[in-house]
Amino acid sequence: MRILIANDDGIYSPGILALAEIAPRFCAVRIVAPDVEQSSAGHAIPGWRPLTYKRTPIKNFEAYRVNGTPADCVVLGVHNWGKVDVVLSGINLGSNLGNSIWHSGTVAAAKQATLLELRGIALSMPATQEEPNFDMLHGAIDRVLEILFKDPQLKLINVNFPDVESKGLRWTRQSVRHYNGKVVPGEDPMGRKHFWFSVAPIEGTEAGTDRWAVEQGYVSMTPLRIDLTAEKDLAAVAR
Ligand code: MN
């Protein structure tokens, strides 16, 4: 089995190596990732400029950097390597829960795999002030991959780890909370104005969702789908 590893934090993120070092026990691994950070780039594919694909070995892993988005990395990685079975995206330093899925480059890389008829698994952990503790996650990542690799029916999965020793795994649905979308103005040292976009949630956490599971100390696994059709609305207007 061939595993392509991508991310949106960039080729030199420690999260990518943490994933690569766990994956080989199952199969052949290749890393293809953006040359610089592309967090929150979503599923963009810059169609207005050419892409480059440059060899950048990381430890003993065959790796390539792309001057594009996470989705570009998956497309180029598959094109240049040939048949790939699973795309793993991550481990992202920052959770991808609920509404984050819409902006996430990490989830977009997994979605891109699904659009190419491959399987895509996005993996994220909370960003904290401390260095990420991949050793603590090792056992949980191992279990998650074992479960997901055994079930080829699961095409697209969003996995989120808690920032504590996990209490176990939970199958969840996506949280659909809204956020305030507040714009926070600031000033750089040269006195130039800049802005930050804040996404503080408006509603509380709903039980059974990805956000709820991670808050409770569980690993959240959410099966996603590409079809965004609102089935109930469609049925209502069709009547
Ligand atoms: Mn990221």
Side-chain angles (χ1 to χ4, degrees):
M1 189 158 98
R2 280 184 172 184
I3 295 183
L4 184 77
I5 300 181
N7 75 354
D8 76 358
D9 289 339
I11 187 103
Y12 302 113
S13 167
I16 216 165
L17 189 59
L19 200 48
E21 282 176 334
I22 287 177
R25 266 181 276 153
F26 301 94
C27 15
V29 168
R30 184 179 284 201
I31 297 167
V32 183
D35 56 357
V36 293
E37 183 167 354
Q38 295 280 332
S39 287
S40 298
H43 206 137
I45 39 167
W48 63 90
R49 62 176 174 83
L51 297 168
T52 58
Y53 183 82
K54 294 179 179 171
R55 190 160 178 268
T56 310
I58 296 179
K59 278 203 171 171
N60 296 321
F61 296 103
E62 189 70 3
Y64 298 83
R65 67 185 193 275
V66 174
N67 64 340
T69 63
D72 289 330
C73 293
V74 172
V75 173
L76 274 188
V78 170
H79 173 81
N80 287 315
W81 198 16
K83 172 93 179 90
V84 167
D85 299 285
V86 180
V87 172
L88 299 181
S89 181
I91 299 167
N92 190 61
L93 304 183
S95 298
N96 278 303
L97 302 163
N99 52 45
S100 305
I101 292 174
W102 288 97
H103 307 296
S104 171
T106 305
V107 175
K111 276 195 287 164
Q112 185 59 57
T114 315
L115 292 179
L116 297 172
E117 282 194 286
L118 310 170
R119 301 181 63 208
I121 302 171
L123 305 110
S124 308
M125 66 188 289
T128 59
Q129 296 299 322
E130 284 106 59
E131 285 293 305
N133 185 351
F134 297 114
D135 290 340
M136 184 185 72
L137 285 185
H138 196 286
I141 298 169
D142 223 24
R143 275 199 305 282
V144 164
L145 293 184
E146 206 185 328
I147 290 169
L148 297 183
F149 285 178
K150 261 192 224 152
D151 191 348
Q153 289 309 308
L154 297 168
K155 301 296 183 202
L156 179 59
I157 302 286
N158 185 33
V159 181
N160 279 275
F161 298 95
D163 62 355
V164 293
E165 192 84 51
S166 82
K167 289 198 252 171
L169 313 181
R170 284 286 180 272
W171 291 104
T172 58
R173 61 193 167 80
Q174 181 190 355
S175 161
V176 288
R177 291 195 304 184
H178 300 86
Y179 54 66
N180 63 357
K182 208 172 140 196
V183 174
V184 184
E187 208 173 76
D188 76 9
M190 274 67 74
R192 294 171 297 200
K193 270 194 178 138
H194 59 211
F195 302 93
W196 289 96
F197 181 37
S198 136
V199 293
I202 293 170
E203 298 99 353
T205 304
E206 325 91 312
T209 62
D210 50 6
R211 195 177 299 279
W212 168 85
V214 169
E215 280 177 12
Q216 302 291 315
Y218 294 103
V219 178
S220 163
M221 301 195 292
T222 309
L224 300 177
R225 60 177 183 170
I226 293 294
D227 184 353
L228 296 176
T229 310
E231 301 289 352
K232 275 187 206 160
D233 292 348
L234 177 62
V237 289
R239 277 198 298 275

